[in-house]
Amino acid sequence: MLIDSHAHLDSPRYADDRAAMLARAYEAGIGAVLSIGIGEGPAEMHQAFELCRQFNGQHVPGAGIPKLYASAGIYPHATPQADDAALAKLDRLLAEPEVIACGEVGLDYYHEGASHRIQHEKLVAQLTIAAARKRPILIHCRGTNESPDAWDDLLPILQAHWRPTGLGGIMHCFGAGWEQARRSLDLGFLVSFAGNLTYPKAQALRDVAARVPLDSVLVETDAPWLAPAPDRGKRNEPAFVVRTAAALAELHGLSPDEIAAATTQNFCRLFSLPSAVGN
């Protein structure tokens, strides 16, 4: 069994075939998916949670579907909308048993959007809520023109405001260098790799992935984005996480079953879930 640790299942791109897409994931050996609750902003933050309520325990004709978990959070560029009402909504969602993580939250300097100051302030506000609810966090971090500047700001924030909680989290869709990976591991984070691990020009990322200890790695799709090779540019979906897992297995000299077992164990340990997480 594999777990897709990060997929935006509430995307409108699945509006016409969401149940069939989940059935394809189950057929591919995906036992659970973490559905990311950021939407297009706080007004849609609840949608991932609602998908859990809609689909968990269901079976489509002829097939099962993965167990769904949800997160809730305010994406860096939506942080200007993180007023008291939005933060209260986040707190309410994190109290729901299906909502096992806060995120994706973090810093993004790559795209024009919220000011760095607002991103910093609202990240700390969300960390405070997540800590009170005892929910691990899902971190998005992307620097200016892929430089490490956002990481240089993020890691001290996590050191001061998150490491003391001992709750850990996931560095989602990791794309930085070994120094950032090493510091993330030191802070108690798991490092998650997406479909870009399979791209021909991603050798530097594969070199980092090969160095991350087996007990600290996860796989994800970031669906509907970042479809792995050879479908780069097409709509991604949780079934495709199998390809990323195969690439990671090869880097570690393991079989696909071994990498599936390791990443499932890591996910369940982080979120204090039973090892049998499927429907």
Side-chain angles (χ1 to χ4, degrees):
M1 184 186 70
L2 274 166
I3 294 176
D4 181 356
S5 68
H6 196 108
H8 297 265
L9 300 182
D10 62 344
S11 169
R13 295 175 70 181
Y14 301 123
D16 295 332
D17 69 339
R18 191 170 282 114
M21 175 268 292
L22 290 171
R24 287 192 294 273
Y26 190 83
E27 277 189 37
I30 313 307
V33 181
L34 180 51
S35 181
I36 304 305
I38 56 170
E40 292 297 322
E44 299 179 355
M45 193 175 11
H46 59 284
Q47 291 180 162
F49 165 62
E50 290 185 345
L51 287 176
C52 289
R53 290 284 171 94
Q54 177 183 352
F55 283 104
N56 278 343
Q58 280 193 18
H59 293 272
V60 297
I65 58 174
K67 172 80 170 180
L68 300 187
Y69 297 96
S71 73
I74 301 169
Y75 187 75
H77 288 316
T79 49
Q81 304 169 50
D83 56 14
D84 288 348
L87 293 172
K89 179 178 180 178
L90 172 62
D91 183 55
R92 291 194 302 273
L93 284 167
L94 292 182
E96 298 290 348
E98 297 95 335
V99 184
I100 62 174
C102 177
E104 60 188 275
V105 300
L107 303 178
D108 191 312
Y109 298 172
Y110 184 82
H111 298 101
E112 289 189 22
S115 71
H116 295 183
R117 179 184 63 82
I118 291 294
Q119 290 189 48
H120 294 186
E121 289 178 0
K122 300 304 183 178
L123 172 58
V124 172
Q126 293 183 86
L127 297 184
T128 301
I129 294 169
R133 290 295 182 186
K134 293 183 168 48
R135 293 294 193 258
I137 56 175
L138 315 175
I139 289 291
H140 168 105
C141 188
R142 194 171 185 188
T144 308
N145 297 321
E146 308 296 6
S147 79
D149 59 350
W151 286 96
D152 292 341
D153 289 348
L154 172 72
L155 292 167
I157 291 173
L158 296 178
Q159 174 70 35
H161 297 278
W162 193 250
R163 184 173 189 172
T165 70
L167 291 168
I170 301 171
M171 291 300 180
H172 137 70
C173 192
F174 190 80
W178 173 245
E179 176 63 17
Q180 290 74 30
R182 182 191 62 77
R183 293 177 67 184
S184 298
L185 295 169
D186 289 346
L187 288 168
F189 282 80
L190 302 180
V191 180
S192 183
F193 295 96
N196 53 339
L197 188 72
T198 70
Y199 297 167
K201 294 183 179 180
Q203 188 56 49
L205 182 60
R206 287 190 285 274
D207 292 342
V208 172
R211 297 180 67 178
V212 176
L214 187 61
D215 64 359
S216 298
V217 293
L218 293 174
V219 287
E220 64 172 88
T221 55
D222 201 18
W225 303 286
L226 286 179
D231 291 319
R232 183 177 184 179
K234 299 179 182 179
R235 189 190 77 167
N236 199 3
E237 59 181 68
F240 297 170
V241 78
V242 172
R243 300 184 209 164
T244 300
L248 187 62
E250 184 175 353
L251 291 169
H252 281 265
L254 300 171
S255 70
D257 284 347
E258 288 172 320
I259 206 71
T263 53
T264 295
Q265 182 178 20
N266 296 342
F267 185 92
C268 294
R269 183 180 70 249
L270 174 64
F271 294 111
S272 301
L273 298 171
S275 57
V277 294
N279 268 328

